Amino acid sequence: LYSIALNSKDALKKARQQLADLINADPKEVTFTSCGTESDNWAIMGACDAKKDKNHIITTKIEHHAVLHTCEYMGKHGYEVTYLDVDKEGIVNPADLEAAITNQTAVISIMMVNNEIGTVQPIKELAAIAKKHGVLFHTDAVQALGNMEIDVKELGVDMLSVSAHKIYGPKGIGALYIRKGVKISTYMHGGG
C-alpha cells in the first residue's frame, strides 16, 4: 500500500471500466493480456483444457495467425480441427458452421473483421448457432475494436479478444472478454 501502486491500480481500474463500457461488458469480465495474440491463444487453449472430454475445434481458413497457429498446435496435440471455407467475399456460411459441429466440439473461433479484406462476419448468427449446440464461441475482434460498435451482450459471444495498439493505445496490451459463467482454464499458475 503505497502511492505509486495505488495510482497504478486506479489507472488499471479506469482502463478496465473504459474497455468494458466500449464493448458493453462488466469490468469483471475483462482480463488484460500482453496482446491480441495472447488473448486468442488463451481463449482457444483455455476452452479446450476446460472441456477435456471434447477434442474438436472449429475455425476458418482466413483467421489471423494467432488463431491459425494455435489451432495447428492443438492439432498436433490430439485435437481435430475443422477449417471452414468462406465465400468469394470472405463470409462464413452459417449452415457450414452448423454442419461442422459435433458432440466433440469444444470451441469455435471466428474473427469478427478480417485483417486483410475487411469482411465483417455475421458473428451474432454464428454465436447463436454455437450456443444452440452448447459450444463455446470466441471471436477475435482486434480489427473491429474502434472501427465498429461492439456489444458483447447483443452478439452473444462467450469470449472476445482485442488489442490496444489498434485503437492508438500502447503496444503490448491486449484483453480477453470472458462472459460471466464461462469457465476456461488459466494458462499461468502461482501468484495471486
Side-chain angles (χ1 to χ4, degrees), residues 102-159:
T102 73
N103 62 357
Q104 289 299 305
T105 307
V107 63
I108 297 164
S109 183
I110 298 175
M111 63 172 36
M112 188 174 290
V113 176
N114 184 273
N115 54 304
E116 293 182 13
I117 61 174
T119 300
V120 179
Q121 298 294 342
I123 295 298
K124 183 176 180 177
E125 185 177 358
L126 300 172
I129 291 167
K131 184 175 185 175
K132 177 174 132 183
H133 292 277
V135 177
L136 291 177
F137 189 89
H138 165 256
T139 189
D140 177 332
V142 168
Q143 298 296 330
L145 188 68
N147 292 308
M148 60 186 285
E149 187 175 326
I150 298 174
D151 184 330
V152 293
K153 291 181 180 132
E154 183 182 320
L155 291 172
V157 298
D158 297 303
M159 298 171 286

Side-chain angles (χ1 to χ4, degrees), residues 30-182:
V30 174
T31 301
F32 288 111
T33 63
S34 66
C35 58
T37 296
E38 181 183 356
S39 297
D40 288 343
N41 275 253
W42 182 21
I44 295 165
M45 296 171 81
C48 288
D49 191 53
K51 295 185 171 276
K52 291 186 187 295
D53 60 328
K54 313 266 183 191
N55 69 346
H56 182 228
I57 302 166
I58 300 173
T59 191
T60 74
K61 293 179 179 177
I62 64 164
E63 296 299 309
H64 186 276
H65 285 144
V67 169
L68 290 176
H69 290 176
T70 303
C71 290
E72 288 171 18
Y73 172 85
M74 296 304 285
K76 291 176 185 174
H77 289 83
Y79 284 82
E80 179 186 338
V81 183
T82 299
Y83 295 93
L84 299 174
D85 284 318
V86 293
D87 67 16
K88 64 183 179 179
E89 272 131 38
I91 302 287
V92 173
N93 182 334
D96 291 346
L97 172 62
E98 189 150 26
I101 296 172
T102 73
N103 62 357
Q104 289 299 305
T105 307
V107 63
I108 297 164
S109 183
I110 298 175
M111 63 172 36
M112 188 174 290
V113 176
N114 184 273
N115 54 304
E116 293 182 13
I117 61 174
T119 300
V120 179
Q121 298 294 342
I123 295 298
K124 183 176 180 177
E125 185 177 358
L126 300 172
I129 291 167
K131 184 175 185 175
K132 177 174 132 183
H133 292 277
V135 177
L136 291 177
F137 189 89
H138 165 256
T139 189
D140 177 332
V142 168
Q143 298 296 330
L145 188 68
N147 292 308
M148 60 186 285
E149 187 175 326
I150 298 174
D151 184 330
V152 293
K153 291 181 180 132
E154 183 182 320
L155 291 172
V157 298
D158 297 303
M159 298 171 286
L160 180 137
S161 300
V162 296
S163 182
H165 77 276
K166 296 293 184 174
I167 56 168
Y168 305 102
K171 287 189 176 192
I173 297 179
L176 180 62
Y177 157 80
I178 307 169
R179 184 177 50 77
K180 183 179 177 181
V182 169

